[in-house]
Amino acid sequence: MKGIICENAKELARKLHGALKTKHKRYTLRPFNRFDSERSMWWVIPSTAYPAYKFGKYIIKDGTFFVGVHIEKGLEKSFDNKKALMMDHTWAWHEFIEAVKSGEIEDILLAIHQKMKDAVQISVLVDIPELNEQ
């Protein structure tokens, strides 16, 4: 199996960012922790917008080199100090849910598993942040 040798998540994120470049699509490379970019988790975002909550993002972490797709679901009801978190029709969440319903996500994950066997671990992580409605 071919592989990519990288010193850290930053280097792997840069390589992924470079591989995704096309003349029709612009991606932005961002560290999660801008104060420690050498050890930070990195995002490759299909936009220059900031914040980038509404976009699906590639996520790269150190350790065993976790590489995945990060899709956020925005808030459905308004909180005064959380306007950027309000979901509308432009969020990637809607496209993701449709792909889950149609079986497209399952097909993709099965294809990865069939090609890679035990070389990769496939998992779905759900994180529900706590919101204080004060």
Side-chain angles (χ1 to χ4, degrees):
M1 181 176 77
K2 289 185 178 182
I4 299 172
I5 297 174
C6 296
E7 189 172 318
N8 55 30
K10 179 180 181 178
E11 185 181 343
L12 181 58
R14 283 185 173 164
K15 288 184 179 193
L16 178 60
H17 179 252
L20 290 171
K21 280 185 184 176
T22 70
K23 63 181 179 181
H24 303 292
K25 189 76 173 170
R26 180 164 179 192
Y27 289 84
T28 303
L29 188 58
R30 280 205 190 105
F32 179 77
N33 181 349
R34 64 183 180 177
F35 301 109
D36 189 3
S37 65
E38 296 302 316
R39 294 189 305 207
S40 178
M41 165 181 70
W42 282 78
W43 288 328
V44 180
I45 305 162
S47 172
T48 58
Y50 188 82
Y53 301 120
K54 71 180 185 174
F55 300 100
K57 299 168 267 305
Y58 293 102
I59 182 173
I60 300 98
K61 292 183 184 180
D62 253 348
T64 56
F65 280 128
F66 169 93
V67 179
V69 179
H70 182 99
I71 300 173
E72 299 179 70
K73 179 181 185 284
L75 299 175
E76 293 178 0
K77 65 180 190 175
S78 181
F79 291 96
D80 290 339
N81 60 346
K82 305 288 186 193
K83 299 247 187 254
L85 296 175
M86 288 297 301
M87 187 171 58
D88 64 20
H89 72 282
T90 64
W91 283 54
W93 177 259
H94 303 294
E95 186 178 344
F96 173 70
I97 291 301
E98 288 304 314
V100 169
K101 286 179 186 176
S102 73
E104 184 180 355
I105 298 297
E106 181 180 8
D107 293 345
I108 291 168
L109 294 176
L110 286 172
I112 291 170
H113 176 69
Q114 287 173 353
K115 183 161 178 87
M116 302 300 292
K117 301 291 183 212
D118 293 330
V120 297
Q121 177 183 356
I122 298 172
S123 59
V124 177
L125 305 172
V126 177
D127 182 29
I128 302 171
E130 291 182 27
L131 289 174
N132 295 329
E133 297 185 39
Q134 300 173 359

